[in-house]
Every structure is written in structure tokens, then in C-alpha cells.
């Protein structure tokens, strides 16, 4: 089933295996109903925290890919940006891809909304694109897109993104908690056996 394969791809991405990127990339060639496999892989690439996934995600935001895949790639970009230290050039590439999807001639409503959601998720990192978002708020013919633009503007102006170092420290702390729990259980077993 496509849905089982999609779930397996997501789970593998979350397993933090060193080879996850190489395992997941070939799955992008697999067609499925509503592109559920590609969507799962693209979402997983965003969660990997591997900067090598950036070019793949950027390429899947482009026209010529399915709507579902483009949306998944757009929404995966801020996840990746939150987990890795990006160069200014890489950060600019992400912003350019998002605004291209937002302002391109004849771009679909779903893509424009996803682009605004992605910019909103970047928080103050997307502040350089506020003028583009404000233009969408004023001129877009779709009220749902205008609503998303308003939310994005508010989020970008009020929230700073959590620094990557803080996310890394949180992850390490969680791993230490789990390790401490395992060690405590082992100690308890040893004490019961009288060792």
C-alpha cells in the first residue's frame, strides 16, 4: 500500500539513521496516489536536519512537480532551516524559492497559501520579504491567501525563530534523559538481584 510505504519513509526519517538521506532520495521517483510517498519523503527530508537535503527540497518547489509535492517541499524548508546552520546564500535560496511560488504568474492558490505558511514558519528570518507579503495582502484576489498573508506578517513581526543551537541542546537533553532512565532501570534490576 502506498500509505504504508509513506509511513515507513516518515518513520525512517525520524529514526535519525546516518544513511537516511541516501535511503529516502530514491523514493522520490516512486509515483503514488496523491503523491503520498513523495510528500512523506519531502517532509522527512525537512525533519532530518541534514543540509544536503536543501537542494532537493528547493527543486521540488518548482513548477512541473505535483501540487502536493510542491506544498510538502515548501513546508519542509522551514523545518530544515530550524535544524541546521545555513549560510546566508542558502537562507536566501529558501526565501527566493518561497517568494517565487508566491508571486509567479498564474501560481495556484494552494501553492501561494503554502508559501505564506512556510514564510510564516521562518519567523523573523523572513523579514526581508515583508514587502512581498504585504503586496499579497493588498492585491491577491483570494481572501484565503490574504488571510494567510496577514498571519504571516504578524508572525514575522512578533516572533523570533528559535536558534539552531537551542534546538540542538534540547535534542541532546532529551537523549540524556532517556539514557538516564535506561541506566536507572539497569541499576534497579541489579539491586534486586543483590549485586
Amino acid at each position: 500500500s502506498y500509505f504504508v510505504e509513506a509511513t515507513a519513509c516518515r518513520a525512517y526519517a525520524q529514526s535519525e539513521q546516518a544513511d537516511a538521506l541516501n535511503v529516502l532520495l530514491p523514493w522520490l521517483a516512486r509515483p503514488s496516489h496523491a503523491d503520498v510517498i513523495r510528500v512523506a519523503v519531502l517532509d522527512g527530508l525537512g525533519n532530518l536536519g541534514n543540509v544536503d537535503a536543501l537542494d532537493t527540497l528547493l527543486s521540488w518547489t518548482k513548477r512541473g512537480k505535483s501540487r502536493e509535492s510542491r506544498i510538502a517541499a515548501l513546508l519542509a524548508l522551514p523545518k530544515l532551516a530550524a535544524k541546521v546552520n545555513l549560510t546566508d546564500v542558502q537562507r536566501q535560496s529558501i526565501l527566493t524559492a518561497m517568494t517565487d511560488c508566491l508571486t509567479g504568474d498564474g501560481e495556484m492558490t494552494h501553492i501561494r497559501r503554502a508559501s505564506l505558511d512556510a514564510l510564516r514558519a521562518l519567523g523573523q528570518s523572513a523579514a526581508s520579504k515583508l514587502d512581498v507579503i504585504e503586496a499579497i495582502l493588498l492585491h491577491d484576489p483570494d481572501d484565503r491567501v490574504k488571510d494567510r498573508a496577514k498571519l504571516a506578517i504578524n508572525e514575522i513581526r512578533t516572533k523570533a525563530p528559535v536558534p539552531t543551537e537551542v534546538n540542538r541542546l534540547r535534542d541532546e537533553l532529551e537523549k540524556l534523559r532517556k539514557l538516564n532512565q535506561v541506566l536507572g532501570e539497569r541499576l534497579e534490576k541489579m539491586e534486586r538481584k543483590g549485586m
Side-chain angles (χ1 to χ4, degrees), residues 92-129:
Q92 190 57 44
S93 297
I94 290 173
L95 291 171
T96 299
M98 291 176 182
T99 53
D100 286 351
C101 290
L102 186 58
T103 60
D105 285 339
E107 197 59 82
M108 294 181 284
T109 302
H110 295 294
I111 300 297
R112 293 195 320 270
R113 288 193 328 234
S115 181
L116 287 165
D117 289 343
L119 286 163
R120 178 177 155 201
L122 284 175
Q124 287 185 342
S125 296
S128 65
K129 300 300 179 183

Side-chain angles (χ1 to χ4, degrees), residues 1-22:
S1 154
Y2 295 136
F3 295 99
V4 172
E5 291 173 337
T7 302
C9 288
R10 269 199 179 91
Y12 199 78
Q14 292 172 347
S15 70
E16 299 180 6
Q17 298 294 320
D19 66 345
L21 182 65
N22 294 327

Side-chain angles (χ1 to χ4, degrees), residues 85-98:
N85 288 319
L86 297 171
T87 65
D88 290 338
V89 171
Q90 291 168 326
R91 191 167 301 284
Q92 190 57 44
S93 297
I94 290 173
L95 291 171
T96 299
M98 291 176 182

Side-chain angles (χ1 to χ4, degrees), residues 167-184:
N167 285 333
R168 187 185 65 74
L169 290 173
R170 283 183 187 152
D171 291 343
E172 285 184 22
L173 180 61
E174 185 59 32
K175 287 177 185 176
L176 287 172
R177 284 184 183 147
K178 288 178 183 177
L179 179 61
N180 191 30
Q181 181 181 0
V182 169
L183 291 174

